[in-house]
């Protein structure tokens, strides 16, 4: 059986400045490579990793549940439909809204700021021909 965790697992820990010290208390560059200031200053919060990977872990739980209940074909079909819907061509100048993918991902009943304000900060380009040439690499 599969493990159904509600939150994502903790990330693998990297070597910090404190664990790479030798007997004299200095960083051992030969064994652990050159030290960087960012690894000793930035502390990694485990909650941050869980929040960043929340949607992907919930999606994998849903796919595992469908596989256990309906068989292997159910998550494969859903992933195939997502891939087909995500790769639909569109005119680059017009605003893009992929409601089909939102329905397949289960995001159709939630309203996020990207739903209201997505793409409004840059404004649409008015030269359709230039945008199509850029998209088609002409």
């Amino acid at each position: 059986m599969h493990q159904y965790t509600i939150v994502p697992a903790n990330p693998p820990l990297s070597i910090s400045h404190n664990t790479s010290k030798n007997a004299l208390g200095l960083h051992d560059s030969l064994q652990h490579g050159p030290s960087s200031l960012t690894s000793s200053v930035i502390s990694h919060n485990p909650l941050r990793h869980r929040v960043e990977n929340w949607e992907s872990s919930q999606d994998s739980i849903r796919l595992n549940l469908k596989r256990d209940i309906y068989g292997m074909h159910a998550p494969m079909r859903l992933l195939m439909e997502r891939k087909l819907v995500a790769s639909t061509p569109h005119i680059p100048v017009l605003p893009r809204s992929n409601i089909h993918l939102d329905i397949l991902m289960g995001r159709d009943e939630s309203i996020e700021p990207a739903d209201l304000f997505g793409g409004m900060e840059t404004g649409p380009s008015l030269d359709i021909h230039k945008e199509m040439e850029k998209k088609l690499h002409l």
Side-chain angles (χ1 to χ4, degrees):
M1 278 302 198
H2 303 284
Q3 181 181 5
Y4 300 112
T5 57
I6 295 175
V7 294
N10 288 331
L13 297 174
S14 61
I15 296 176
S16 68
H17 194 44
N18 295 333
T19 60
S20 63
K21 291 182 179 179
N22 60 9
L24 299 175
L26 301 172
H27 176 73
D28 192 359
S29 298
L30 293 176
Q31 287 184 347
H32 301 288
S35 66
S36 66
L37 185 60
T38 58
S39 65
S40 62
V41 173
I42 298 174
S43 64
H44 297 284
N45 191 349
L47 183 62
R48 176 180 171 196
H49 173 71
R50 290 181 182 204
V51 169
E52 288 173 352
N53 295 332
W54 178 258
E55 190 171 333
S56 64
S57 65
Q58 294 300 310
D59 189 41
S60 65
I61 289 171
R62 282 188 220 110
L63 291 174
N64 282 337
L65 283 172
K66 286 187 182 198
R67 182 179 63 206
D68 290 346
I69 294 172
Y70 301 113
M72 189 63 180
H73 74 282
M76 288 177 58
R77 178 180 176 180
L78 185 62
L79 290 173
M80 180 185 65
E81 289 175 353
R82 285 183 192 173
K83 185 177 179 182
L84 287 172
V85 168
S87 65
T88 56
H90 73 288
I91 298 174
V93 176
L94 300 176
R96 183 175 183 178
S97 171
N98 201 342
I99 189 69
H100 308 299
L101 186 61
D102 287 344
I103 291 170
L104 290 173
M105 296 287 289
R107 297 182 296 211
D108 57 333
E109 296 179 356
S110 64
I111 297 176
E112 297 177 1
D115 295 334
L116 301 174
F117 305 113
M120 291 178 63
E121 63 274 358
T122 59
S125 173
L126 299 177
D127 191 7
I128 296 173
H129 298 289
K130 185 185 286 185
E131 293 294 325
M132 287 300 291
E133 288 175 0
K134 188 168 85 174
K135 179 184 177 188
L136 299 173
H137 305 292
L138 297 176

